[in-house]
Structure formats: C-alpha cells, structure tokens
C-alpha cells in the first residue's frame, strides 16, 4: 500500500496543458521531474474535503530523490490563485528559495518555473510560503536519499503530519488572531512599515482549549491556541489509518515530518523502542527512546527493530497538552490490526516546556570550531491578547535584520520572553545548536529549532550567499501576525 495512495489526482488535461507552458529547452531535457500545485480531495472521517497538494508526474504527493541526484524540477501552478513553494531544508541559491517577491514573484495560475540546484540529503519537505496556503495542505515530503539509505536493509516509511480544519484557513486564522493576521503574508510589500495593532477587536478569538501548563516561576505556559477538526498522518486519521507492511525481524526507518500549522507532537513508537538517528535531515548520534518530540517544520528520522515474531505496531503522533492523536500502523504479514481510538485517556505531556531532548542531541558532523564574528540576541515576544508575536519587539516590515558578511560565523541567541514556544526556521542555511540555556553543547545541525517559553537556545551558522534570507517562527498563526525577520548577508 502506498503511503500516499489516498491523495488526490491531477486531471490529465491540466497536466498536458501545463507541460506545454514550459520552454522548449526545459521540455527537451532528460532526468527532470515535474511537480504540480493542484487541488485534491481527501477523506476525513467519511467526509470529503477539498485541499491542495504538491503532486509528482504520477499524481503522487511529494518527491524522492536518489543519492547525488540533482534537484531538477519543473513546478506548475494548477491552482486558481498565485502561490510559491519553499524547499524547506534545501539550500538553493536565493532566487530559488521560494519566498513571495524575495526576490521572485509568486507563480500565477497556469505558470511554470524551472528549479535547478544541488539537493541536500535527508528528510525534508516543501510547502507554500503563505500561511493560508500551507494550511490548505499545500505541502509534501521531499526526501533525498543517501548512499547509506540505499545500502541499508531496511524499510523506509514517511510519516507526514498535519492539523486540519474544515473551515477555510483565513477563517481559522481570524479566530485565532482576532483579525491581527497579515492577510496573505505578502513578504515583499510588507516592508513599507510596521503593523498598527491599535483598535483590534479581540472578541472573535477562538483559541481552543488554551492548554496552560506550569512554566518558570509559576507562570502559565500556553501550548495550544486552536482545536483543529482533525490531526492527519499521511492524510488519514486513526479511524482509517494507513497500514504499512513490514517484515518480521526487519528494520524500519520512519521519516517524520511535522507539516502542521500550529501543533507540536510527540512521536510514540510504542512496543518498538526506537533510535533517533537524524533531525532536520542531518545525522545525530543515536538517541534511544520510545517517545520523541517534534515541532512545526522539524523532521525526525527514527530507526526501529521489528521482533522476529512480528505483529502490528502503531506509530503514533500525540498532540502535546491534549488527548488527540494520529499515526500509522506497521504490520507484518498476517498480523491482527485493531482499531485505535483517536483520543488518549489523558492529556499528553508538554514537549515545549524544556530543552531536554535538544540538549541530548549531538551532531555526527558538527560545524568546524570557529570564533564568531558577531553574537546577536533575538528576543522572542508576544501576547495572546492582542494576538501579536514579535522578534526584538518588532513585526515584519518594521523589523531590524540580522546582518553578516558572507563566510562569517555568527552565533544567534534566541531568548524567548513569551509564554508560547517558537520553532525558529532559517532559510538557506543549516546551523548547529551550540547553547541550551547557559550551557555550551556540540548539539544537532538543523534548520529549525524549538525555543520553549522563557528559554534560550544559541545556534552557530556560517553565513552563505549574499542575499536576504528569511528567519521566522514556523507557527503559522504567529507568522501570519508578522513574527519574521531576515538574515541579511552581504558580500
């Protein structure tokens, strides 16, 4: 059974028309892959839902590249409105990064664009860089296999996680933000001035259960600000989960991608003790366990050993601070698969409350030791009422860029002074976690780090191409209110 067999399809006529829009030189090239942003239909608890997706030439969600295969992709927008795709975890030249008008404009309906760059190995993903579009599920896995993956005798399974609402994304954002959302997040045109937060009507806020957990100094930590209608694993809920065939006595690599808009999950491997072997596509020293946290935008590679007697093994994603869960079931031939309730008996604990997991990770290939040329601190702030989230007290448009010269080592300290956690993502670079709180570590190399309430994380990064690279919170309601700055690299 294909992990994405229930995903929607692209009409053949639309695909044919889109291919004719490509330049002749591109159509003539061999070895290129096609990707289409298209409307599709999924089933959520017996109810049809129209969503968007990124489909390959065979109508399947996402892309898988072989070792050393270049990212040579022709992207076509078959949607009725403009959009643009960001290659999360990849390091293309800035013009191909996929941020509206920075520097390339969005793809218009029917437009195609060719992308060509060296692919970065590992578990990555691709998604629209417009919050409402990402919440329409305009996202998909982007897996670049290593030679070791091909040589390994193990089954690879992708676990692609979403939170889902039957309501339009704009309505969901309005309920969460009380109207504070920057509609469309038109990054390029938002630089004309800051947001005016005065006079907000907060009466329409729909902030779910507002799960509050004890934080530092007895303050309340806000975990969840919206209750979505469903939590999806590979487009499915636990009332009809994907059942993945595996071998008795075999080994499985689960590639976890948290594509949710505003949900942090625990990955619970149940009866199969796991080893966390990579985060955000970069290998780490194996970290044993059966429960690992993953924030929005982050990825985990978890290796599992299947017992010789076989069986059915749920791999669950547990919503932090709540009872909801989703997942897939790994099953050996003939194993009895029983139904799993979508709700646990008790609330799952908070992952966002501390940095225990982050502090335990160690990179297999750390950055070379270098003295930093600068050590900027970014204060992460915000409030629930009004619903505004900031970096150094500013939202996008009135932001002050983090500056660096190409080739310089920069150490950025994220100091979260708010009571919500923030998964901070940097475009065009991979950084290493070198500080957790006041402790120095040789932590994981990654591109998205989760900063807990009142917590501090320091990352080291070597500034790359001279360009404007986005640096933002990957919580979509936070991003929609302008929680973004830029890493401005000069030559």
């Amino acid at each position: 059974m294909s992990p994405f067999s229930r995903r929607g399809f692209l009409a053949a006529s639309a695909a044919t028309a889109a291919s004719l829009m490509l330049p002749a030189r591109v159509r003539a090239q061999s070895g290129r892959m096609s990707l289409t942003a298209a409307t599709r239909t999924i089933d959520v608890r017996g109810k049809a839902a129209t969503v968007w997706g990124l489909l390959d030439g065979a109508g399947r969600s996402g892309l898988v590249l072989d070792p050393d295969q270049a990212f040579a992709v022709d992207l076509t927008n078959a949607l009725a409105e403009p959009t643009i795709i960001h290659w999360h975890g990849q390091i293309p030249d800035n013009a191909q990064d996929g941020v509206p008008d920075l520097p390339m404009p969005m793809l218009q309906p029917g437009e195609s664009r060719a992308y060509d760059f060296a692919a970065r190995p590992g578990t990555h993903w691709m998604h629209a860089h417009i919050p409402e579009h990402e919440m329409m599920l305009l996202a998909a896995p982007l897996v670049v296999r290593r030679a070791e993956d091909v040589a390994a005798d193990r089954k690879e399974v992708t676990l692609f996680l979403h939170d889902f609402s039957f309501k339009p994304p704009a309505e969901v954002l309005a309920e969460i933000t009380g109207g504070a959302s920057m509609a469309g997040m038109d990054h390029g045109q938002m630089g004309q001035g800051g947001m005016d937060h005065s006079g907000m009507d907060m009466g329409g806020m729909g902030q779910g259960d507002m799960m509050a957990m004890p934080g530092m100094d007895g303050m309340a930590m806000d975990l969840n600000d919206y209750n979505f209608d469903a939590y999806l694993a590979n487009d499915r809920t636990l009332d009809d989960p994907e059942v993945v065939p595996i071998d008795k006595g075999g080994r499985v690599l689960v590639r976890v991608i948290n594509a949710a808009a505003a949900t942090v999950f625990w990955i619970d491997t149940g009866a199969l003790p796991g080893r966390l072997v990579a985060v955000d596509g970069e290998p780490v020293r194996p970290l044993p366990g059966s429960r690992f946290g993953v924030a929005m935008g982050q990825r985990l590679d978890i290796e599992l050993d299947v017992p010789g007697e076989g069986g059915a093994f749920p791999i669950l994603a547990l919503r932090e601070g709540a009872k909801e869960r989703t997942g897939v079931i790994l099953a050996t031939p003939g194993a009895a698969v029983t139904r799993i309730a979508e709700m646990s008996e008790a609330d799952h604990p908070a992952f966002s409350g501390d940095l225990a997991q982050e502090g335990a990770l160690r990179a297999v290939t750390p950055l070379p030791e270098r003295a930093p040329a600068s050590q900027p601190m970014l204060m992460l702030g915000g409030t629930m009422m009004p619903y505004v989230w900031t970096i150094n007290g500013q939202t996008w448009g009135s932001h002050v860029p983090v500056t660096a010269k190409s080739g310089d080592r920069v150490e950025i300290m994220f100091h979260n002074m708010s009571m919500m956690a923030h998964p901070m993502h940097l475009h065009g670079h991979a950084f290493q976690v070198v500080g957790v709180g006041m402790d120095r570590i040789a932590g994981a190399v990654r591109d998205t780090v989760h900063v807990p309430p009142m917590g501090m994380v320091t990352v080291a990064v070597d500034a790359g191409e001279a360009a404007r690279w986005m640096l933002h919170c990957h919580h979509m309601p936070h991003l929609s209110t302008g929680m973004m700055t830029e890493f401005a690299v000069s030559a």
Side-chain angles (χ1 to χ4, degrees):
M1 179 181 300
S2 168
F4 306 107
S5 60
R6 287 166 56 108
R7 298 195 172 203
F9 64 92
L10 173 67
S13 58
T16 302
S19 69
L20 295 176
M21 296 174 192
L22 297 174
R25 66 168 184 83
V26 174
R27 295 201 304 270
Q29 292 175 357
S30 61
R32 299 191 64 83
M33 296 178 289
S34 66
L35 188 69
T36 304
T39 299
R40 60 200 181 98
T41 301
I42 62 173
D43 179 280
V44 180
R45 299 195 196 96
K47 183 177 179 180
T50 299
V51 298
W52 295 352
L54 292 167
L55 309 177
D56 70 5
R60 298 168 300 199
S61 183
L63 295 173
V64 178
L65 276 64
D66 293 325
D68 300 321
Q69 182 179 355
F71 189 90
V73 173
D74 300 317
L75 172 65
T76 298
N77 181 12
L79 300 169
E81 59 185 277
T83 194
I84 195 164
I85 303 303
H86 169 57
W87 320 105
H88 191 127
Q90 294 300 307
I91 306 181
D93 56 282
N94 185 256
Q96 302 187 78
D97 187 48
V99 176
D101 300 317
L102 285 174
M104 297 294 289
M106 292 191 284
L107 275 77
Q108 297 301 311
E111 183 182 357
S112 295
R113 187 174 296 168
Y115 292 84
D116 294 272
F117 54 85
R120 177 174 171 239
T123 303
H124 306 295
W125 63 305
M126 46 196 171
H127 60 83
H129 211 274
I130 302 163
E132 292 93 332
H133 293 190
E134 187 175 328
M135 294 170 71
M136 279 292 294
L137 312 194
L138 187 52
L142 173 54
V143 174
V144 182
R145 304 184 75 207
R146 292 181 167 86
E148 306 92 277
D149 297 325
V150 176
D153 182 17
R154 65 187 180 190
K155 172 94 171 187
E156 293 188 18
V157 177
T158 299
L159 182 62
F160 198 64
L161 301 172
H162 274 300
D163 38 26
F164 168 81
S165 176
F166 285 106
K167 296 178 180 179
E171 185 176 337
V172 173
L173 285 173
E175 290 184 12
I176 297 172
T177 68
S181 174
M182 291 178 168
M185 276 297 289
D186 190 350
H187 307 67
Q189 296 181 14
M190 285 164 51
Q192 303 304 313
M195 286 182 65
D196 179 5
H197 300 297
S198 63
M200 287 184 184
D201 178 8
M202 306 307 294
M205 293 187 71
Q207 295 174 330
D209 54 17
M210 279 304 302
M211 176 66 185
M213 301 287 286
M216 295 180 65
D217 301 324
M219 292 182 288
M221 174 175 61
D222 298 317
L223 292 180
N224 300 311
D225 52 5
Y226 194 79
N227 292 320
F228 287 83
D229 292 325
Y231 298 86
L232 308 179
N234 299 348
D235 285 342
R236 299 164 76 159
T237 59
L238 281 176
D239 75 320
D240 180 28
E242 179 189 356
V243 179
V244 181
I246 58 173
D247 295 328
K248 295 179 179 179
R251 180 167 288 178
V252 179
L253 180 69
V254 181
R255 299 182 182 269
V256 181
I257 302 167
N258 188 351
T263 303
V264 175
F265 293 100
W266 288 101
I267 305 304
D268 190 336
T269 64
L272 296 179
R275 297 176 297 279
L276 182 58
V277 297
V279 297
D280 294 359
E282 288 288 339
V284 295
R285 296 178 190 172
L287 181 67
S290 59
R291 186 173 283 191
F292 304 96
V294 60
M296 296 78 78
Q298 293 185 325
R299 291 87 68 205
L300 306 177
D301 287 10
I302 303 172
E303 200 171 57
L304 306 169
D305 292 316
V306 182
E309 63 270 22
F313 306 98
I315 306 298
L316 299 178
L318 315 175
R319 181 189 179 200
E320 75 163 344
K323 296 181 175 64
E324 291 88 350
R325 57 187 180 182
T326 187
V328 299
I329 298 175
L330 311 180
T332 58
V337 177
T338 58
R339 184 168 181 170
I340 301 171
E342 291 188 65
M343 303 286 280
S344 299
E345 292 183 0
D347 288 343
H348 311 125
F351 171 65
S352 299
D354 61 49
L355 288 159
Q357 177 176 295
E358 196 66 55
L361 297 174
R362 295 293 180 268
V364 169
T365 308
L367 297 184
E369 289 282 348
R370 292 177 60 192
S374 62
Q375 296 176 292
M377 177 183 288
L378 298 186
M379 304 293 287
L380 311 180
T383 59
M384 300 301 295
M385 296 184 70
Y387 195 91
V388 179
W389 303 93
T390 61
I391 299 174
N392 285 345
Q394 303 297 319
T395 55
W396 178 258
S398 61
H399 66 284
V400 177
V402 178
T403 59
K405 289 186 177 181
S406 182
D408 278 357
R409 169 68 56 85
V410 179
E411 289 194 359
I412 302 172
M413 175 181 280
F414 297 105
H415 190 175
N416 186 359
M417 297 301 292
S418 77
M419 294 315 297
M420 288 197 79
H422 302 289
M424 300 303 296
H425 172 53
L426 175 61
H427 288 217
H429 297 77
F431 54 70
Q432 184 178 9
V433 177
V434 296
V436 169
M438 300 305 295
D439 297 327
R440 294 286 295 189
I441 64 171
V445 174
R446 57 191 324 157
D447 55 62
T448 308
V449 67
H450 199 44
V451 187
M454 310 308 293
M456 292 186 296
V457 179
T458 303
V459 302
V461 59
D462 292 330
E465 178 191 349
R468 300 171 65 190
W469 298 100
M470 296 301 97
L471 173 57
H472 63 86
C473 178
H474 223 284
H475 184 294
M476 288 299 101
H478 295 181
L479 177 60
S480 74
T481 66
M483 194 174 186
M484 180 167 70
T485 186
E486 61 184 284
F487 187 47
V489 181
S490 60

